[in-house]
Amino acid sequence: MCLAAFLLTVPASAQFRWGLEGGVNLSKASVKGDGGLFDASNRTGWFVGPKVQMTMPIIGLGIDASLLYSQKYMKLDYSYNDEGAVETGSTPNKSMPYIEIPINLRYNFGFSSLVGVYLATGPQYSWYLGSRNLTFDGESLGRLERSTFSWNVGAGVTLLNHLQLGLTYNIAMGETGRLEDFKDQIARFDIKNNSWQVRLVYLF
């Protein structure tokens, strides 16, 4: 609603630009309510896609939006006590392709015509494209959500009025997926997948 109100008040003199964005993400899944049964290691993926940016002159306030193809990965390690014997293992490395639409409200600080700094925050909507099933040893372990909602907080620098280099933390606002009935554990564990992202943008 805030972004829509902002668009209604944008003057005709606002600067509108488009470009290409790409980068890497470092994601780690957390499992809620498992009592320490599961852990996850960091997984590195990547993303790429077009970007649009609109900035109001003088005050430096603006918005940007991207349409990204994002490739993420997830691997869960477990430690399970089976009748006094501790059993450990890992699930296969799960490939997780997404279409993501981040929409950010941003503020730009211009130190000169060559160098600037920006702060950005806003929602991100993601649609999962792959198989939703999570399996281990041929048995169903759970399912991933078809769509997710998250929130971005980031900052970066602008160089030569065309190049942007930024760091973003993506916070999952809901479940990425669920684990069910693992090793006779009759329970449902929620998965959340947060990510650090390093992004490079070229604006034409």
Side-chain angles (χ1 to χ4, degrees), residues 169-203:
Y169 187 56
N170 178 253
I171 308 166
M173 305 301 289
E175 293 85 12
T176 305
R178 286 188 172 182
L179 301 176
E180 300 178 358
D181 195 18
F182 176 76
K183 296 288 186 180
D184 298 324
Q185 299 284 318
I186 309 301
R188 307 184 79 176
F189 306 140
D190 296 332
I191 305 173
K192 286 190 176 183
N193 205 28
N194 297 332
S195 300
W196 284 100
Q197 298 175 322
V198 178
R199 50 201 338 116
L200 182 65
V201 180
Y202 186 84
L203 296 173

Side-chain angles (χ1 to χ4, degrees), residues 10-99:
V10 169
S13 59
Q15 298 176 350
F16 179 84
R17 307 177 69 183
W18 70 278
L20 295 175
E21 178 175 15
V24 297
N25 52 53
L26 185 66
S27 59
K28 183 175 182 178
S30 62
V31 183
K32 182 180 179 182
D34 66 339
L37 180 64
F38 290 98
D39 194 10
S41 52
N42 291 321
R43 302 281 102 182
T44 303
W46 53 272
F47 58 90
V48 66
K51 183 184 189 74
V52 294
Q53 180 177 308
M54 184 164 49
T55 305
M56 295 176 63
I58 302 176
I59 64 173
L61 191 64
I63 61 171
D64 65 50
S66 303
L67 178 62
L68 304 174
Y69 177 84
S70 178
Q71 179 64 64
K72 297 181 178 180
Y73 300 93
M74 182 174 66
K75 185 176 183 179
L76 296 175
D77 303 318
Y78 69 86
S79 179
Y80 174 73
N81 193 326
D82 186 10
E83 297 180 355
V86 177
E87 180 182 351
T88 60
S90 299
T91 64
N93 199 23
K94 175 68 174 177
S95 175
M96 300 166 59
Y98 283 92
I99 293 294

Side-chain angles (χ1 to χ4, degrees), residues 94-98 127-133 146:
K94 175 68 174 177
S95 175
M96 300 166 59
Y98 283 92
W127 287 269
Y128 182 59
L129 303 178
S131 171
R132 297 175 60 191
N133 291 326
R146 177 59 66 191

